[in-house]
Each structure stands twice: as structure tokens, then as C-alpha cells.
Amino acid sequence: MVQQTSIQPSAPWLRLDVDNSDWNDAEVSSLVRWYQQMLLIRRFEEKVLDLANAGLVHGPAHASIGQEATAVGAMSVLGTGDRINGTHRAHHQVLAKLVNAQTPGGFDPLHDAFNPDMQGSVRGLMAEIMGLKSGYCGGRGGSMHMRDDASGIPGTSAIIGGNLPHAAGYALADKLLDTGNISVAFFGDGTMMAGPAYEAMNIAALYRLPVIFFAENNLYA
């Protein structure tokens, strides 16, 4: 006779639910800043698509329209030393991380303009996507291979599931060096069909690595 045994994961699984009280407790300045970042990402992506339709983006340009909040929410609790990577659809995460790395403390979107470094991060990312020399990788990375190590972006990957093992590697280095930093790997639902994703998660669990695997269910898969 077949017997069923309940299997419990060694790591806890948690679901977070918010209600109006959580929004009411949030600092107004934070809400304004997060909204400004989401709007920046949306306008940036719309411009990327305009340029792509005009034939000025040489190669793919996978927009992240509709996923602005996931990037802004994640970056709001990460420091510059924390590292991220993503897949081919990572403009939103990379843009938020780049801008945050250049944003001075106390920045108020309602009264403060972007300083040259903040504006430069936006222009540098757009230049990279367009294949221009002034981009972060000299235009060689394009839309899917974006990198700026100083901002905590070792590089994104066009390979589905290819970025998760990288994040586990970053996290292993952080653990061995005792940096106190964490790594975050962003991926879509399609990545759950890729073997390296589960291999990375198992390695992270085995060695208890400071890494977060952030799934964005964009319904493409």
C-alpha cells in the first residue's frame, strides 16, 4: 500500500500580507520617493521602447513595464554593497540600484532635482542599452548584460536561470569574507523550468548563504 509522508522544508516559508494600517504607518517621505522611482522606471522603459521602435536599439530590449514596484521595493532595503543580478528583463532593477547608489541622504523628490551623478546613472544605462560608448560597459553589454560593480551590480545574464548560481557565488564570497552584505537574484516564472535555479537554491540552503531568490511571476511562462 502506498503511504504518504508529509515533507517539511528545513527553511521556513513565509507569506507577507499587508493592509491599510501598514500603509498608514509608512513614512510619507519614503512613499513619495518610492513612487518617484517607479515613475522614473516606467518613463525610462517607455523611452527604451520608443527608441527600439525607431531602430535605435541594436538587439533585444525586454521592457519591465508593470514590474516597477518589485524593483523599487527590493532596492529600498538594499545597500550599495549588496549585490544583485537579473535575467534579460532587468532594466527596472538595474536602474533603481544605479540611482540609489548615487542618491544623497535626505533626497526629497518633491523639492530636489537629480544631481549630476544621479542623472549620469540614468544616461549611462540608456547609453548601454543603445550600444553607445558612454554606456557602463562601453555599449558592449546592451540590454541584457548590464554591469556596474561599484553600484552592486556584478552583471545580468541573458541565460534563463544562469544568474542564480552567480548570486550563490557572490553570497558564498560574502560569507567567507564576513562582509555582512547579501546578494539577490531576480528571475521570472519561466526560470523555474531551469535546472541551475534549483541547484543554486540547494547550494544556498546547504551552506546557509546570505542570498535571496526573488521570483517575479510575470505570467510569461
Side-chain angles (χ1 to χ4, degrees):
M1 178 181 295
V2 176
Q3 295 182 342
Q4 293 183 346
T5 303
S6 177
I7 299 176
Q8 299 296 328
S10 59
W13 286 64
L14 304 174
R15 170 175 170 167
L16 303 180
D17 293 304
V18 300
D19 55 30
N20 289 335
S21 64
D22 295 290
W23 290 106
N24 294 332
D25 290 339
E27 294 183 0
V28 174
S29 59
S30 295
L31 294 175
V32 171
R33 186 169 64 255
W34 298 336
Y35 180 76
Q36 180 266 340
Q37 291 179 346
M38 288 192 293
L39 185 61
L40 171 66
I41 293 171
R42 173 62 67 92
R43 294 293 178 260
F44 183 92
E45 292 288 63
E46 290 173 344
K47 191 63 177 179
V48 168
L49 293 179
D50 287 343
L51 293 168
N53 290 333
L56 297 175
V57 176
H58 306 289
H62 302 283
S64 58
I65 289 176
Q67 297 176 301
E68 299 86 355
T70 61
V72 172
M75 301 313 147
S76 70
V77 294
L78 297 180
T80 301
D82 298 318
R83 288 176 281 190
I84 70 166
N85 67 26
T87 59
H88 57 284
R89 197 180 309 277
H91 299 169
H92 53 329
Q93 298 138 7
V94 172
L95 179 58
K97 193 73 161 67
L98 288 171
V99 172
N100 278 358
Q102 304 299 332
T103 302
F107 176 78
D108 182 356
L110 296 179
H111 302 97
D112 301 331
F114 270 33
N115 63 34
D117 290 335
M118 296 169 69
Q119 187 62 42
S121 65
V122 179
R123 293 178 63 88
L125 181 59
M126 183 64 79
E128 183 59 37
I129 293 171
M130 295 181 67
L132 301 178
K133 186 176 181 180
S134 57
Y136 277 96
C137 300
R140 296 179 177 86
S143 171
M144 299 188 292
H145 303 98
M146 298 170 285
R147 168 184 169 83
D148 182 47
D149 195 58
S151 300
I153 309 168
T156 59
S157 173
I159 304 302
I160 300 297
N163 61 310
L164 279 75
H166 296 174
Y170 311 151
L172 177 60
D174 283 326
K175 181 174 182 177
L176 294 176
L177 297 174
D178 195 24
T179 66
N181 297 327
I182 67 171
S183 293
V184 185
F186 295 90
F187 55 95
D189 47 304
T191 298
M192 302 314 295
M193 296 184 290
Y198 298 99
E199 294 170 5
M201 293 177 186
N202 284 329
I203 288 293
L206 178 64
Y207 293 107
R208 298 187 178 278
L209 302 180
V211 58
I212 295 173
F213 299 104
F214 194 121
E216 292 180 311
N217 185 9
N218 51 43
L219 303 180
Y220 277 99

